[in-house]
Amino acid sequence: MSRPMSTTELDVKGLNCPLPVLRVKKAMAALPAGATLKVYATDPGAPKDIEAFCKASGNVFKSAAEAEGVFVVELGKAG
């Protein structure tokens, strides 16, 4: 019986480019394959930067949404 994969949350609100994506890169390196990272950011460029990181690193860009100035981005660890 397989366990559901975990979701890790990363708060990078208040940080500006390139810090959000650098923190995402570091967090993703520590996660097991199949895990999900949910990122909370206030930098409007963060969703596109994270999507570009996923394309470059082979990870999975799942979704991006914005509510009240906070961008919520979900990505999955490849593997």
Side-chain angles (χ1 to χ4, degrees), residues 15-40:
L15 300 179
N16 293 317
C17 186
L19 292 175
V21 79
L22 292 175
R23 299 278 172 91
V24 165
K25 185 177 179 181
K26 185 176 181 182
M28 288 297 281
L31 294 178
T36 297
L37 182 64
K38 192 172 195 175
V39 183
Y40 299 90

Side-chain angles (χ1 to χ4, degrees), residues 39-52:
V39 183
Y40 299 90
T42 50
D43 179 352
K48 288 211 176 293
D49 291 344
I50 293 168
E51 185 174 12

Side-chain angles (χ1 to χ4, degrees), residues 4-78:
M5 279 294 162
S6 64
T7 297
T8 301
E9 294 189 344
L10 178 65
D11 184 348
V12 294
K13 295 190 296 278
L15 300 179
N16 293 317
C17 186
L19 292 175
V21 79
L22 292 175
R23 299 278 172 91
V24 165
K25 185 177 179 181
K26 185 176 181 182
M28 288 297 281
L31 294 178
T36 297
L37 182 64
K38 192 172 195 175
V39 183
Y40 299 90
T42 50
D43 179 352
K48 288 211 176 293
D49 291 344
I50 293 168
E51 185 174 12
F53 162 75
C54 287
K55 287 180 181 171
S57 64
N59 291 300
V60 180
F61 184 83
K62 293 184 174 183
S63 66
E66 185 266 334
E68 297 177 16
V70 177
F71 298 89
V72 181
V73 182
E74 284 195 35
L75 56 154
K77 174 81 177 244

